[in-house]
Amino acid sequence: DGGITQSPKYLFRKEGQNVTLSCEQNLNHDAMYWYRQDPGQGLRLIYYSQIVNDFQKGDIAEGYSVSREKKESFPLTVTSAQKNPTAFYLCASSIIGQGIETQYFGPGTRLLVL
Amino acid sequence: AQTVTQSQPEMSVQEAETVTLSCTYDTSESDYYLFWYKQPPSRQMILVIRQEAYKQQNATENRFSVNFQKAAKSFSLKISDSQLGDAAMYFCAYRSAETSGSRLTFGEGTQLTVNP
């Protein structure tokens, strides 16, 4: 089945710890995105990547890092510098250069701080 | 910068009735795309409907349709014959057409309850 997978579904972070959220897609999409969702709010962009080995900061990149070594994968690391990481994290992907470029989303990862 | 506003934090509708969710946006661009996404309790974001700003005809997908008013910068979603499975958080989103691979800007969402 084609789609976007995120793992784990739930993740717990201890103080001072870095954690990595996985996002994989087999849709052959060019662009991938990470969004953060806080309770009762809309989604805010953390990072996005249009091509392998290149990525751009979104609105709330501080305390996060990403890599794009493969077209299919766009992992997000939540570093210890992110002081309020508890949120729901959504990964999305899209084709680019072909009209409307709809973004499709994975099932999300819920990050909780211990 | 573009902004998207959903002025109705919560809405409710009776099963089989029609409901309209409001969305307005602010942009100086002339070419862009608009989307409605649905987020059920599973929290998976699901595309409901999309509209290209250069198209005057309103998009329709089965029971879902939009009323796109470009001059007023309004993009409302109409759900006809509401079903229990329509209960979800609905997000309006904007994407610029001026740059490929550009980000989505989301509204705050409207929580829709469907009453049996």
Side-chain angles (χ1 to χ4, degrees), chain B residues 98-111:
Chain B
E98 295 187 357
T99 307
S100 285
S102 60
R103 42 94 61 75
L104 287 169
T105 299
F106 285 87
E108 298 284 310
T110 297
Q111 181 68 52

Side-chain angles (χ1 to χ4, degrees), chain A residues 31 33 35 37 40-43 45 48 50 59 88 90 96-97 99-107 110, chain B residues 33-35 37 39 42-45 47 50-52 89 91 95 99-104 106-109:
Chain A
Y33 311 80
Y35 293 91
Q37 186 179 26
Q41 297 188 27
L43 280 66
L45 182 67
Y48 65 106
Q50 298 174 341
D59 297 325
F88 188 62
L90 285 155
I96 59 175
I100 198 167
E101 299 179 8
T102 301
Q103 290 185 21
Y104 296 94
F105 286 81
R110 184 161 186 80
Chain B
Y33 305 105
L34 297 164
F35 305 83
Y37 284 89
Q39 188 178 42
S42 68
R43 305 198 73 174
Q44 171 88 51
M45 291 287 282
L47 177 70
R50 53 192 181 179
Q51 174 84 41
E52 294 98 325
M89 181 74 87
F91 291 98
R95 192 182 79 74
T99 307
S100 285
S102 60
R103 42 94 61 75
L104 287 169
F106 285 87
E108 298 284 310

Side-chain angles (χ1 to χ4, degrees), chain A residues 37-96:
Chain A
Q37 186 179 26
D38 291 285
Q41 297 188 27
L43 280 66
R44 293 181 292 168
L45 182 67
I46 305 172
Y47 269 100
Y48 65 106
S49 168
Q50 298 174 341
I51 194 169
V52 172
N53 292 324
D54 189 41
F55 46 83
Q56 290 78 40
K57 293 182 179 180
D59 297 325
I60 55 166
E62 185 175 350
Y64 300 97
S65 66
V66 293
S67 64
R68 186 93 185 272
E69 297 178 1
K70 298 185 300 180
K71 186 177 183 179
E72 304 80 24
S73 178
F74 191 41
L76 173 74
T77 297
V78 184
T79 75
S80 57
Q82 173 48 244
K83 298 306 179 187
N84 184 24
T86 297
F88 188 62
Y89 292 86
L90 285 155
C91 177
S93 70
S94 72
I95 295 172
I96 59 175

Side-chain angles (χ1 to χ4, degrees), chain B residues 1-21:
Chain B
Q2 295 81 25
T3 59
V4 177
T5 302
Q6 294 179 247
S7 59
Q8 307 153 316
E10 298 177 350
M11 292 281 285
S12 64
V13 63
Q14 291 296 127
E15 196 175 2
E17 297 294 309
T18 295
V19 64
T20 298
L21 308 184

Side-chain angles (χ1 to χ4, degrees), chain B residues 51-70:
Chain B
Q51 174 84 41
E52 294 98 325
Y54 64 85
K55 289 188 176 179
Q56 293 186 343
Q57 186 172 5
N58 289 322
T60 301
E61 288 285 345
N62 300 313
R63 297 181 296 107
F64 299 88
S65 61
V66 297
N67 183 4
F68 173 49
Q69 302 286 331
K70 191 172 184 179

